[in-house]
Amino acid sequence: MDFTSLLNSFIPSSISVGLLLGFFSYLGIAGSILPGKLVPGANLPDGTRLHYRCNGLLSLLLLIGLLAIGAWMDYISPTAISDRGFELLSTTFIFSVVATLLLYVAGCKSSDRSASLKPHISGNIIEDWWLGIQLNPSFMGVDLKFFFVRAGMMGWLLINLSVLAKSFQDANLSQSMILYQLFCVIYIMDYFFYEEYMTSTWDIIAERLGFMLVFGDLVWIPFTFSIQGWWLLSNKVELTTAAVIANCCVFVIGYLVFRGANKQKHDFKKNPKALIWGSTPKVIGGKLLVSGYWGIARHCNYLGDLLLALSFSLPCGMSSPVPYFYPIYLLILLIWRERRDEARCAEKYKECGWNTARLSPGGFSPSFTSDDR
């Protein structure tokens, strides 16, 4: 593909616009009408709480079923996404820019004083657009922050499934592609099975909705986390039996640590007396958990997430660094986030002895349930 053709492939078409708007319309309608557990969010500074309808798994399964029927009846091509990857990337990016500009304008004009919608204006236009002005803006009754992160995770799976269909169509389905797809399906389905855990994360609780979050949810997650699948479409990788077994072990260990640590954190936030590994949790200052995974290392969930990211890339072999973009990026992000968490928690929990309790007499650093994602 020459440079001109490459540039032309990024130009949005009516089809890519229609696919994106159709996807968003479905999510808005399905998220509003399908049954799901109503989960209370964190207490906001003004004492109010938002409630989230966690029906993402049902919405996703219904969507996949509808798309499968549509493909079977030749109403839609299963490779519609993979055939227009660059188009959809640029279309989604443009949507993110326009949506956040509208959020910025609406936030500036808002006179609402509630914790969810009170404008936080720094006076720096770029900073306010990037970080956002309002905490939990909504559109037609839909909480946009929860909506966008759901759209990003579903979009990742839809891209992967379309890439898988393209692999079938081109008759180059490989063991590596199957392994990568299997790991991602398990991870994404697990995310929606435990969707209520998202309501206790830092992004939902405290980050304002600006370009940083919207771009991260709609563009970064689906289009960069699927790089391995795109790469495998044009690169053949032969894995040994030992490599497959090792890759599966990395995924299983990563999943158990990631899900176990996050479940303990979520359960502790809901009920500080909930048993962890069959025992009453140990707590410092009534707020800081030092039991279970959080008594082994301060960020076991980060370790699990990194192992999972690595397991998504290992099926691609070691011939190119391109498929390893996701775990490398995630490592950098989590190092930055860990430093941010340390500084924030040192201030937030200083009355609990954060600084003095960081090291035990033997030099071990106990863990705390920081408010990380």
Side-chain angles (χ1 to χ4, degrees):
M1 181 183 292
D2 58 37
F3 185 69
T4 302
S5 300
L6 180 62
L7 287 179
N8 288 336
S9 68
F10 279 94
I11 298 175
S13 67
S14 58
I15 295 178
S16 62
V17 173
L19 286 173
L20 186 65
L21 295 182
F23 175 53
F24 287 158
S25 298
Y26 168 82
L27 287 185
I29 295 171
S32 299
I33 66 175
L34 291 181
K37 183 178 180 181
L38 202 61
V39 178
N43 285 315
L44 298 174
D46 61 359
T48 60
R49 301 180 79 174
L50 298 179
H51 288 77
Y52 301 91
R53 187 178 299 278
C54 294
N55 55 10
L57 183 60
L58 180 58
S59 299
L60 177 58
L61 293 176
L62 178 60
L63 177 59
I64 292 174
L66 292 173
L67 291 175
I69 294 173
W72 178 65
M73 300 181 69
D74 290 329
Y75 288 147
I76 186 172
S77 169
T79 62
I81 296 174
S82 55
D83 290 338
R84 298 173 179 82
F86 289 143
E87 276 185 38
L88 284 167
L89 172 60
S90 59
T91 303
T92 309
F93 176 79
I94 293 170
F95 174 88
S96 300
V97 173
V98 173
T100 49
L101 286 174
L102 292 175
L103 286 171
Y104 172 79
V105 172
C108 288
K109 292 183 177 181
S110 175
S111 58
D112 199 302
R113 310 313 294 173
S114 66
S116 290
L117 299 175
K118 180 181 178 181
H120 297 265
I121 302 175
S122 69
N124 184 320
I125 295 176
I126 299 300
E127 179 181 333
D128 290 339
W129 168 71
W130 180 267
L131 295 177
I133 292 178
Q134 294 175 303
L135 184 62
N136 296 107
S138 61
F139 178 71
M140 298 180 66
V142 176
D143 182 273
L144 292 178
K145 191 187 293 184
F146 202 64
F147 175 86
F148 287 144
V149 71
R150 177 181 284 182
M153 292 298 292
M154 287 193 188
W156 178 15
L157 180 59
L158 293 180
I159 289 174
N160 277 354
L161 292 179
S162 187
V163 166
L164 180 63
K166 183 73 171 177
S167 183
F168 269 114
Q169 185 183 80
D170 296 344
N172 68 349
L173 182 63
S174 64
Q175 186 182 54
S176 296
M177 178 68 82
I178 294 173
L179 206 57
Y180 163 72
Q181 294 282 349
L182 177 63
F183 292 160
C184 288
V185 166
I186 294 173
Y187 180 84
I188 296 170
M189 289 297 183
D190 173 83
Y191 170 88
F192 284 108
F193 186 81
Y194 293 103
E195 189 178 31
E196 68 174 275
Y197 291 6
M198 189 64 193
T199 63
S200 62
T201 61
W202 175 253
D203 285 355
I204 295 294
I205 294 172
E207 294 279 16
R208 298 190 295 275
L209 187 62
F211 181 78
M212 182 181 71
L213 278 188
V214 175
F215 172 82
D217 289 338
L218 298 183
V219 180
W220 192 261
I221 288 176
F223 289 98
T224 65
F225 290 12
S226 59
I227 285 176
Q228 299 94 323
W230 293 105
W231 189 86
L232 286 169
L233 272 180
S234 54
N235 294 272
K236 188 74 172 178
V237 178
E238 296 294 338
L239 297 176
T240 64
T241 301
V244 172
I245 293 173
N247 199 168
C248 291
C249 289
V250 172
F251 175 81
V252 171
I253 294 171
Y255 173 79
L256 292 175
V257 174
F258 174 77
R259 176 51 59 212
N262 281 325
K263 185 177 188 303
Q264 288 176 358
K265 179 180 70 170
H266 181 78
D267 291 346
F268 177 74
K269 286 184 176 182
K270 289 181 62 177
N271 178 15
K273 296 182 180 180
L275 298 181
I276 293 179
W277 290 347
S279 302
T280 302
K282 297 178 182 179
V283 181
I284 293 178
K287 296 181 179 180
L288 306 177
L289 175 65
V290 288
S291 288
Y293 285 105
W294 301 95
I296 297 174
R298 186 165 298 178
H299 293 289
C300 268
N301 55 337
Y302 288 179
L303 172 62
D305 213 359
L306 286 169
L307 289 174
L308 286 169
L310 181 62
S311 73
F312 299 156
S313 300
L314 287 175
C316 300
M318 307 297 290
S319 63
S320 171
V322 173
Y324 290 85
F325 174 83
Y326 175 30
I328 292 171
Y329 147 77
L330 188 63
L331 175 62
I332 296 171
L333 171 70
L334 293 182
I335 290 174
W336 168 79
R337 180 165 283 186
E338 187 273 338
R339 302 295 165 81
R340 182 199 67 178
D341 286 347
E342 288 293 303
R344 185 167 52 83
C345 290
E347 176 62 27
K348 183 176 180 180
Y349 298 126
K350 58 185 177 182
E351 73 278 7
C352 299
W354 175 272
N355 290 320
T356 58
R358 290 182 67 186
L359 294 176
S360 69
F364 174 70
S365 178
S367 288
F368 302 91
T369 53
S370 61
D371 298 314
D372 49 44
R373 182 171 178 172

